[in-house]
Amino acid sequence: MEIRFEPTKTPKAKPQDETKLGFGHIFTDHMFAMNYDAGQGWHDARIVPYGEISLSPAAMCLHYGQEIFEGLKAYRTADGTVQLFRPDENYKRMNNSAERMVIPKIDEKFMVEATKKLVEIEKDWVPHTDGASLYIRPFIFATDPYVGVKPADHYLFLIILSPSGPYYSTGLDPVKIYVEQKYVRAVRGGTGFAKTAANYAISLKGQDEAHEQDYEQVLWLDGVEQKYIEEVGSMNIFFVIDGEVITPELTGSVLPGITRKSALEVCKAKGIKATERRITIQEVADAYDAGKLDEVFGTGTAAVISPVGHLKWGDKVMTINDNKIGKISQMLYDTMTGIQWGKIEDKFGWTVKIG
Ligand SMILES: *Cc1c(COP(=O)(O)O)cnc(C)c1O
């Protein structure tokens, strides 16, 4: 499929101070768009000026939430090259989300090419500041003007780009997380593994209550017994117990993070024992009491590695590694950001250069 390009006539000024970008506020000059109509498939791929879209008030996505998304970044290396990190994995996961949400599948290879083309057009928007990057948000939603419940026949696929500042401005500060005991995020047979808006809508209440208690994130337990650890809701979770790296296995209610997968692969390459298995919050608390809970960290595209300094479960507050980043967390952070920003050799073949 050809990608039509309609350049903007009113380019915007690029942000001056890249350290103050924050996340998700500013959008670039262009976006990718493509339509799906039943009978015709995906068509009319185009890169057009970023701008508002018009939707029927009856558009099905607004009523029944048929939407999926992805998140990845473009990084500028020291020699000015712009590169992506494992974009093929994002579009593979997007198709798994599409399958679950009854959204038509996309051509993964074509979408990697379309993403490269869009980022190439917008490459001056990729920040130069160390640690800053261009966030890429592909998403698909149902547009049929119909308020009946059924899978839609019409969809819009968009990719928007947002320059974002360094996640850590003052070093890798550990986060405070509490174990959610009232609400659940996902259940067996549900949509936990899909990157879909509904999983976020359902998590906001727990997040809000955590903030009221001065915690930054919640750690979700399984939705049936509230016993097994799942994830943080925008990050996967890892524990280092007695030298072994452990992360909950993918049982269908956990989002299969690409950073999670990459962290496991880096551990294996470095000869560190890394296991995917079911792990209960009780096991973590017991390891803490025995002095064997060495490190806890989250993984996700935004932060890459986010050390957890405080973990609260009911009345029990665990302070991990003296509220400092641990050895394995630091090694993973250095290795993965090193590959992403082209500071170390990419032995895994994970990066995809633009242009
Ligand atoms: C996107 C996401 C993650 C992290 O996935 P990455 O591919 O590593 O960015 C973790 N949990 C949830 C619920 C997510 O939506």
Side-chain angles (χ1 to χ4, degrees), residues 49-93:
Y50 177 92
E52 293 187 359
I53 52 170
S54 72
L55 272 183
S56 162
M60 289 174 77
C61 61
L62 301 176
H63 302 274
Y64 308 117
Q66 217 188 349
E67 190 268 2
I68 55 174
F69 66 95
E70 272 303 324
L72 67 159
K73 286 173 169 178
Y75 309 84
R76 186 183 296 281
T77 69
D79 66 5
T81 310
V82 171
Q83 58 187 24
L84 306 177
F85 184 74
R86 312 190 82 173
D88 49 320
E89 291 286 341
N90 289 94
Y91 289 113
K92 193 164 109 190
R93 180 169 69 191

Side-chain angles (χ1 to χ4, degrees), residues 93 185 195 200 231 233-236 255 257-259 299-301:
R93 180 169 69 191
R185 173 187 173 273
K195 222 168 164 70
Y200 279 78
E231 64 162 294
S234 58
M235 289 194 293
N236 295 106
L255 197 289
I258 296 160
T259 321
T299 62
T301 296

Side-chain angles (χ1 to χ4, degrees), residues 21 35 51 53 62 71 74 87 116 125 144 149 172 194 221 231 244 259 280 282 303 309 313 330 338:
L21 283 171
N35 293 80
I53 52 170
L62 301 176
K116 286 168 70 177
W125 283 92
D144 305 31
V149 179
L172 276 87
L221 300 178
E231 64 162 294
E244 180 186 5
T259 321
T280 60
Q282 186 67 57
W313 179 35
Q330 186 74 56

Side-chain angles (χ1 to χ4, degrees), residues 238-256:
F238 283 73
F239 301 90
V240 184
I241 298 179
D242 213 6
E244 180 186 5
V245 176
I246 303 161
T247 191
E249 66 183 343
L250 301 175
T251 50
S253 43
V254 172
L255 197 289

